[in-house]
Amino acid sequence: DSGTGLHHCGEMFRAVFRLSATGARTPVATRCYSHGKVESDEEFDARWVTYFSKPDIDAWELKKGMNTLIGYDLVPEAKILDSALRACRRLNDMASAIRILEAIKDKAGPHKDIYPYLIQELKPTLTELGISTPEELGMDRL
Amino acid sequence: MLRLVSGRVSGLLARRVTPAVCTSSARPASHGHDVSPAVDMSRPMYWDRRDVPLPDRPFRDELSAGDKSLKEKEKGSWKQLSNEEKIALYRLSFNQTYAEMKRPSAEWKTVLGGVFIFLGFTGLVVWWQRVYVYPPAPRTFDPEWQQKQVQRMLDMRVNPVEGFSAKWDYEKKQWK
């Protein structure tokens, strides 16, 4: 899916966090590729939510999906992460759920306000599933 | 002398004959005592990488009885798990946390120290060269010669408009 890879290069937060002060986002129409339909943010999000929502998702698919998603130049939306965390629940994989939270905090990089926002958005899911954040477990410190 | 050399050569040849081509996973216990255990590259590998959050296999493959019962408990509601159990489950699957992966090292001190050591050593070499290698300075560097040279330049009116002689006050016979 190299088209979507190119699509995301050079722009952070494409699918998330309209509160950020990084200024105007470039409208999608001015991207310069030679061909190919442009996927909107909503389509991207929906595609990934569907991917993780597969009822009989297997461990490999979860790993592949997460590793690919983290490879993109963006921090995933809360709804994608919610879907991924529920996939962890179906796979009885608590460790991966915590790992995912660590990964998105790392993904946000210097933008320290993204992770607390995402945790706030995911709080209902975290309490419902009983997932502790790395901070609650003291794993964010050495 | 010739015998010694031939003895050495035959020793080398003899060593080469012993099979050195053990496959990594089949290395018998009698070989390679000083070598670290070879990694089986034919199986999926584990690594801690920031950009690959979920590696190909869990960190710990072989689980003790306690680990197995914890894994069973994981299949139920996660609210029953204590914090320690959650941490234990994490450590079964993963080696380092992101915080541990990203921890800063003190390598920069080694690098900077090495740089300064080599600069210092170079300085010593240059100093030694100055003392022992350089020939004596030419006589044109002597202060007396230099004085006469400056006087000659002023007499010749070297760069009288904006440069050398322009800075000399010919009436007062001093620098401006």
Side-chain angles (χ1 to χ4, degrees):
Chain A
D1 216 8
S2 61
T4 43
L6 274 169
H7 184 121
H8 297 304
C9 74
E11 210 197 304
M12 293 285 280
F13 324 131
R14 208 182 60 72
V16 81
F17 207 61
R18 283 121 230 264
L19 306 166
S20 100
T22 46
R25 291 153 26 115
T26 46
V28 169
T30 61
R31 283 273 158 101
C32 327
Y33 4 104
S34 54
H35 68 285
K37 174 177 157 323
V38 174
E39 185 183 52
S40 72
D41 289 359
E42 292 72 26
E43 286 168 345
F44 175 84
D45 294 347
R47 192 160 56 80
W48 276 102
V49 168
T50 311
Y51 178 91
F52 286 116
S53 304
K54 187 172 148 197
D56 54 345
I57 193 171
D58 67 26
W60 185 92
E61 287 172 343
L62 172 68
K63 283 188 283 213
K64 177 66 180 169
M66 272 320 301
N67 293 338
T68 309
L69 194 58
I70 294 294
Y72 292 153
D73 186 15
L74 50 82
V75 183
E77 278 276 7
K79 52 176 166 321
I80 303 178
L81 297 170
D82 172 83
S83 185
L85 292 172
R86 289 184 189 282
C88 289
R89 174 65 268 194
R90 291 198 294 285
L91 288 163
N92 300 320
D93 193 355
M94 156 70 94
S96 293
I98 303 174
R99 190 74 157 183
I100 289 171
L101 295 176
E102 285 188 297
I104 50 156
K105 181 177 181 185
D106 182 52
K107 226 20 218 181
H111 302 267
K112 301 269 184 252
D113 36 5
I114 296 183
Y115 178 70
Y117 163 75
L118 284 171
I119 293 294
Q120 175 200 314
E121 292 290 305
L122 289 169
K123 213 46 186 163
T125 307
L126 295 176
T127 32
E128 180 197 330
L129 299 177
I131 301 173
S132 303
T133 65
E135 289 70 34
E136 287 165 6
L137 297 172
M139 295 174 83
D140 58 327
R141 297 182 295 278
L142 286 166
Chain B
M1 167 82 166
L2 207 62
R3 228 160 23 122
L4 258 169
V5 170
S6 64
R8 287 240 174 89
V9 168
S10 61
L12 271 170
L13 286 173
R15 229 172 289 137
R16 203 164 289 165
V17 162
T18 55
V21 201
C22 278
T23 51
S24 45
S25 52
R27 189 182 289 261
S30 56
H31 294 195
H33 284 290
D34 303 323
V35 180
S36 58
V39 179
D40 186 354
M41 296 277 185
S42 63
R43 293 186 57 239
M45 295 187 69
Y46 176 87
W47 44 54
D48 284 307
R49 281 187 62 130
R50 288 170 57 193
D51 54 356
V52 180
L54 304 178
D56 293 346
R57 68 164 177 87
F59 182 56
R60 297 231 169 277
D61 271 340
E62 61 290 326
L63 303 176
S64 69
D67 297 335
K68 286 189 181 135
S69 65
L70 187 57
K71 280 286 190 193
E72 282 302 311
K73 198 174 173 191
E74 195 184 13
K75 293 180 185 171
S77 168
W78 288 345
K79 297 183 194 180
Q80 300 166 23
L81 296 167
S82 69
N83 281 1
E84 288 73 25
E85 287 173 327
K86 291 178 183 174
I87 295 175
L89 281 168
Y90 183 95
R91 291 290 181 186
L92 281 178
S93 295
F94 304 109
N95 184 17
Q96 291 181 318
T97 66
Y98 267 65
E100 287 160 3
M101 265 191 254
K102 291 167 72 171
R103 73 185 181 283
S105 78
E107 189 186 9
W108 68 273
K109 296 178 197 168
T110 310
V111 170
L112 216 56
V115 166
F116 288 142
I117 286 172
F118 279 103
L119 284 175
F121 178 70
T122 308
L124 288 173
V125 169
V126 170
W127 188 9
W128 181 87
Q129 280 181 331
R130 170 67 189 82
V131 170
Y132 289 103
V133 177
Y134 288 10
R139 58 190 170 133
T140 54
F141 281 71
D142 297 341
E144 298 77 24
W145 187 291
Q146 289 281 319
Q147 278 176 349
K148 291 182 192 164
Q149 186 170 297
V150 168
Q151 185 59 57
R152 185 156 181 265
M153 285 166 76
L154 289 171
D155 294 342
M156 284 199 289
R157 303 292 194 272
V158 167
N159 295 337
V161 180
E162 298 238 351
F164 191 75
S165 304
K167 299 194 171 98
W168 177 257
D169 190 337
Y170 283 91
E171 273 84 58
K172 298 192 197 137
K173 299 222 186 327
Q174 65 189 16
W175 292 107
K176 289 183 184 170

